[in-house]
Amino acid sequence: MLSFKWLNALVSVLIIILIIAFSQTSASGSQGSSITIKLIDEKPLVEISGGIFNFIEIAENLKAHGYELRKSEKLSDGSYLITFPISWSDSDEFLLIYDLTEILPHLAKPVIIAIEYPSSLQVVHNLTEACIYENKQLLIAVKKVEVTVWTLIFSIIVLFAAPSLCAFAIALWSRRVLKLSRLEEYQVASKKVNKLMIIFNYAPAALLLMGFLIVFLPTPPLLGLPSAISVAWRVSFIWATALAFALTLFAPLAFLLLTWTRLHGKYLKPILKEIPPFRKMLEYEKDVKKFSLVANLLPLSLIFIIIVINSLAYDPLSKFIQPLFLQQFLIIIGFLMGFVGMSLIIDLSSRKGMVAMDERLLRIFLEAVSKVGLKKAPPIIKVRTFYGTVANAGVIGLFRRKVVVTETAEKNLDDEELSTIILHEIGHIKYNHMPIAIVFALVFVFTVGNSYGFIADFLKTLKQAFNASEILIMLVTISVYIALFISWFLMLYFVIRVFERKADDFVLKIGINPEAYVKALVKLSVLNLIPIEASKGQEAFQTHPTVIKRLRKVAAKYGVSEERLKELVDTVIKELYEDRYGEGSRNDVKAS
């Protein structure tokens, strides 16, 4: 137990600490003041902080001269803070000239003057790094503001060079893997091709997204390109944002697509012609290229238009609508425009590839509809290719949903098999999977659209707590955004896989020939060179559950043994792959 002497000593120490802390706090409020000009916005911000005499008089004087006070407050340590924007000059000699002579007598001495700007800008001004002024005339002049050469070079590297080099490396690796896959059986070859497709679909795009986040977002040590363009060229922030978006995402993506097309033609196409399943797919190469180009670029064009509309409409509408509600409203409008645009692309692409409906497909479809008991049958169309695949079926249409069956799928499936696939697609319509997916996507849009404030606060706390460097802050910001996008795709694919299982359940409840459904699923997989089995990691990046899981579910429902299931799978693979393309083709390759 502590004695009174120790208690008195402890209290005395605490009192001394408090006195020292109080004296330090009091002194901090009278250690002069600072004037900082920040070149971070369409209009430069002037920030006056520290010891200010006649605070109210200065604030009123600034208002009288037409300045908009963004901040005007007394801080907890007794000092003050005033922040207000100033306009760029129209003079040919100076971009910015500002006379602070009248303010100097009202500030505690010494007054430290500084201009803050990110390293992505080159600024010529009349101040040294830290100018200390007493009572004398002060005229701040900014003569030149440009985006630095290294910033432009760095932007070109991360936006154009890095994704293209990644695509080149994938093309070379793909050529090697495809050469070897010609000598392998279906299960091994399809797994390798599936891994290649995942890497091709995500690696270059992830690098491009990373470059976009580095250059576009206002993260240190770079100023976001919209702000840099606005400041350096003194253009409206609205049009600077639109131009920056076109330069940092639209142009690099177009360049990446063109690069991949050239790489595909030079390195991959000669190998694909020697692999019979791909040889068939190459018949649809032009259609697939057109669909991919439009499907990638049109949504970006819509987003580009949305950014401009958002920038133009936000300020006028914010006077009548609560800003937070307005932001949410514009986010929803933007998302719906993008979704409608994508739906129209798919719909128009399917109509363009539409072929004449034959009596067999129509008869099977009407029989399937009668089994379900739908009051009104959805339309059905037959196309040459769909979503860039050769053999498939699906549901399209935003307002009036349609069942789509490809020509190759119809030719290779018998009546029972085709009926089960059509019933599966009707299940998606019956359970309203598309509207549910839209709601789920809206949740993601809200999450990402409103995450910037949260991320900014988190990074500010990180910097204050750990004195983190600007490079670390930038890397954390990029990592958070990429994690959000990856999480979104993984969650979306998970939800779609749940929908696929529900559609499978729908087919099984109706009562079908289980072996017909098994053979139909295996046939579509083999025709599209999709692996029957895949790892959990591969499945996470797929819109459908692995085929073997779906087959075992059908087998369990109808009591099909594992041996019989394996026999059915092997029979289809032998019929569609081994007998058609297999040993003879591989022997020819070995001989060559």
Side-chain angles (χ1 to χ4, degrees):
M1 187 174 179
L2 291 174
S3 64
F4 282 106
K5 290 182 179 180
W6 281 103
L7 186 60
N8 288 334
L10 181 61
V11 171
S12 300
V13 170
L14 289 174
I15 291 173
I16 292 171
I17 292 173
L18 288 173
I19 291 172
I20 294 173
F22 179 76
S23 63
Q24 291 292 326
T25 304
S26 300
S28 66
S30 60
Q31 287 179 348
S33 55
S34 66
I35 299 176
T36 306
I37 294 183
K38 298 183 176 182
L39 304 180
I40 59 171
D41 207 340
E42 183 181 348
K43 292 184 177 181
L45 291 179
V46 178
E47 186 175 273
I48 305 173
S49 60
I52 300 177
F53 310 119
N54 299 324
F55 170 76
I56 297 176
E57 182 179 337
I58 291 179
E60 293 298 327
N61 186 33
L62 289 171
K63 288 181 181 178
H65 283 80
Y67 293 110
E68 171 197 351
L69 296 186
R70 291 199 179 178
K71 281 186 180 179
S72 176
E73 57 184 338
K74 183 175 182 180
L75 304 178
S76 58
D77 62 355
S79 63
Y80 293 88
L81 173 65
I82 301 175
T83 303
F84 58 95
I86 56 177
S87 299
W88 294 103
S89 171
D90 294 328
S91 170
D92 295 332
E93 186 177 358
F94 296 105
L95 293 177
L96 170 69
I97 185 166
Y98 187 65
D99 191 350
L100 295 172
T101 305
E102 293 184 5
I103 293 178
L104 283 176
H106 301 286
L107 305 181
K109 306 303 181 294
V111 180
I112 300 176
I113 314 294
I115 291 184
E116 286 186 5
Y117 54 89
S119 55
S120 57
L121 293 179
Q122 180 184 359
V123 180
V124 178
H125 53 82
N126 67 333
L127 298 177
T128 57
E129 290 186 3
C131 301
I132 301 178
Y133 285 81
E134 299 295 338
N135 279 325
K136 60 181 180 178
Q137 185 179 11
L138 173 59
L139 196 68
I140 297 177
V142 176
K143 300 178 182 179
K144 183 180 178 182
V145 180
E146 292 180 346
V147 178
T148 59
V149 175
W150 78 264
T151 301
L152 295 175
I153 294 173
F154 179 74
S155 300
I156 291 171
I157 290 173
V158 298
L159 290 172
F160 293 91
S164 298
L165 288 174
C166 178
F168 177 68
I170 292 173
L172 294 180
W173 183 46
S174 300
R175 183 175 66 169
R176 181 176 177 274
V177 171
L178 290 171
K179 279 184 176 180
L180 295 175
S181 68
R182 293 178 300 170
L183 308 174
E184 296 166 335
E185 62 177 9
Y186 169 76
Q187 298 280 28
V188 177
S190 61
K191 284 182 181 180
K192 288 185 176 181
V193 171
N194 183 255
K195 286 181 182 179
L196 280 177
M197 292 303 298
I198 291 174
I199 294 171
F200 160 69
N201 287 331
Y202 290 97
L207 276 178
L208 182 59
L209 175 62
M210 186 183 299
F212 169 74
L213 294 174
I214 290 173
V215 177
F216 191 87
L217 293 178
T219 56
L222 293 171
L223 177 67
L225 196 58
S227 299
I229 291 174
S230 177
V231 171
W233 298 341
R234 287 185 292 168
V235 297
S236 168
F237 188 75
I238 296 170
W239 300 112
T241 302
L243 178 60
F245 182 84
L247 292 174
T248 56
L249 195 57
F250 191 87
L253 180 59
F255 181 79
L256 180 61
L257 290 172
L258 292 173
T259 301
W260 181 254
T261 301
R262 295 293 298 273
L263 292 171
H264 178 270
K266 185 175 182 180
Y267 295 103
L268 299 182
K269 192 173 180 180
I271 304 298
L272 294 174
K273 285 181 177 179
E274 298 177 11
I275 304 175
F278 286 110
R279 190 184 304 149
K280 181 67 177 176
M281 292 182 184
L282 288 175
E283 294 177 11
Y284 303 96
E285 184 181 18
K286 289 184 179 179
D287 294 329
V288 174
K289 281 183 180 178
K290 288 179 183 178
F291 178 83
S292 298
L293 186 65
V294 176
N296 282 283
L297 294 182
L298 187 57
L300 290 181
S301 303
L302 289 170
I303 296 171
F304 176 77
I305 295 169
I306 291 163
I307 289 176
V308 175
I309 294 173
N310 183 25
S311 301
L312 292 172
Y314 186 83
D315 286 339
L317 292 178
S318 61
K319 298 176 182 178
F320 308 101
I321 304 175
Q322 187 180 4
L324 182 61
F325 176 78
L326 177 60
Q327 183 183 12
Q328 308 293 342
F329 175 74
L330 291 174
I331 288 173
I332 293 173
I333 294 298
F335 168 76
L336 290 178
M337 284 181 67
F339 193 86
V340 170
M342 278 300 301
S343 299
L344 288 174
I345 293 171
I346 295 169
D347 201 2
L348 291 173
S349 177
S350 298
R351 287 184 184 181
K352 190 175 180 181
M354 192 164 54
V355 294
M357 178 69 64
D358 57 85
E359 294 182 3
R360 172 179 175 256
L361 179 58
L362 186 60
R363 172 180 55 79
I364 294 171
F365 174 71
L366 293 176
E367 288 175 359
V369 170
S370 65
K371 287 182 182 178
V372 177
L374 288 177
K375 294 181 180 178
K376 187 177 181 181
I380 181 171
I381 59 176
K382 184 169 75 170
V383 297
R384 286 188 297 115
T385 183
F386 175 58
Y387 274 105
T389 61
V390 176
N392 207 345
V395 177
I396 64 169
L398 185 61
F399 303 106
R400 190 186 182 193
R401 290 182 279 282
K402 310 177 189 70
V403 175
V404 180
V405 178
T406 64
E407 191 175 32
T408 309
E410 187 205 7
K411 286 180 180 178
N412 286 277
L413 301 178
D414 65 26
D415 289 8
E416 273 192 306
E417 293 163 358
L418 190 57
S419 177
T420 60
I421 296 302
I422 291 173
L423 285 171
H424 176 93
E425 302 308 328
I426 293 175
H428 286 304
I429 298 175
K430 185 85 171 178
Y431 290 134
N432 293 311
H433 286 160
M434 188 173 289
I436 296 172
I438 295 174
V439 173
F440 179 80
L442 275 174
V443 173
F444 165 75
V445 171
F446 276 120
T447 303
V448 175
N450 294 287
S451 63
Y452 184 76
F454 167 77
I455 293 173
D457 292 339
F458 169 74
L459 294 177
K460 185 178 179 182
T461 304
L462 178 67
K463 189 170 184 178
Q464 292 174 347
F466 302 100
N467 195 24
S469 66
E470 290 186 335
I471 294 291
L472 178 61
I473 297 295
M474 183 181 72
L475 292 175
V476 170
T477 305
I478 294 167
S479 301
V480 169
Y481 273 103
I482 289 178
L484 280 174
F485 279 102
I486 291 175
S487 300
W488 150 244
F489 280 109
L490 293 179
M491 287 189 291
L492 178 63
Y493 288 168
F494 173 77
V495 170
I496 293 175
R497 288 197 298 273
V498 171
F499 291 166
E500 293 299 327
R501 295 189 189 102
K502 290 287 291 181
D504 285 341
D505 291 340
F506 177 79
V507 176
L508 298 178
K509 284 178 183 177
I510 292 174
I512 57 161
N513 179 353
E515 294 192 0
Y517 196 33
V518 168
K519 290 171 69 177
L521 293 175
V522 177
K523 280 184 177 182
L524 292 181
S525 300
V526 174
L527 289 169
N528 294 303
L529 210 61
I530 296 172
I532 302 297
E533 298 183 48
S535 65
K536 289 184 178 180
Q538 286 177 273
E539 185 183 24
F541 288 90
Q542 294 177 352
T543 56
H544 288 62
T546 54
V547 179
I548 192 63
K549 286 185 178 179
R550 301 173 71 183
L551 299 182
R552 285 172 178 161
K553 188 170 186 178
V554 176
K557 171 75 174 179
Y558 286 92
V560 179
S561 66
E562 190 72 23
E563 292 77 14
R564 177 56 181 164
L565 184 63
K566 186 177 184 305
E567 182 184 344
L568 290 170
V569 173
D570 291 342
T571 301
V572 173
I573 292 175
K574 188 174 187 303
E575 174 190 340
L576 290 183
Y577 189 83
E578 300 293 345
D579 288 349
R580 193 178 297 184
Y581 317 124
E583 296 299 329
S585 299
R586 292 205 291 273
N587 290 334
D588 292 340
V589 172
K590 289 176 183 178
S592 64

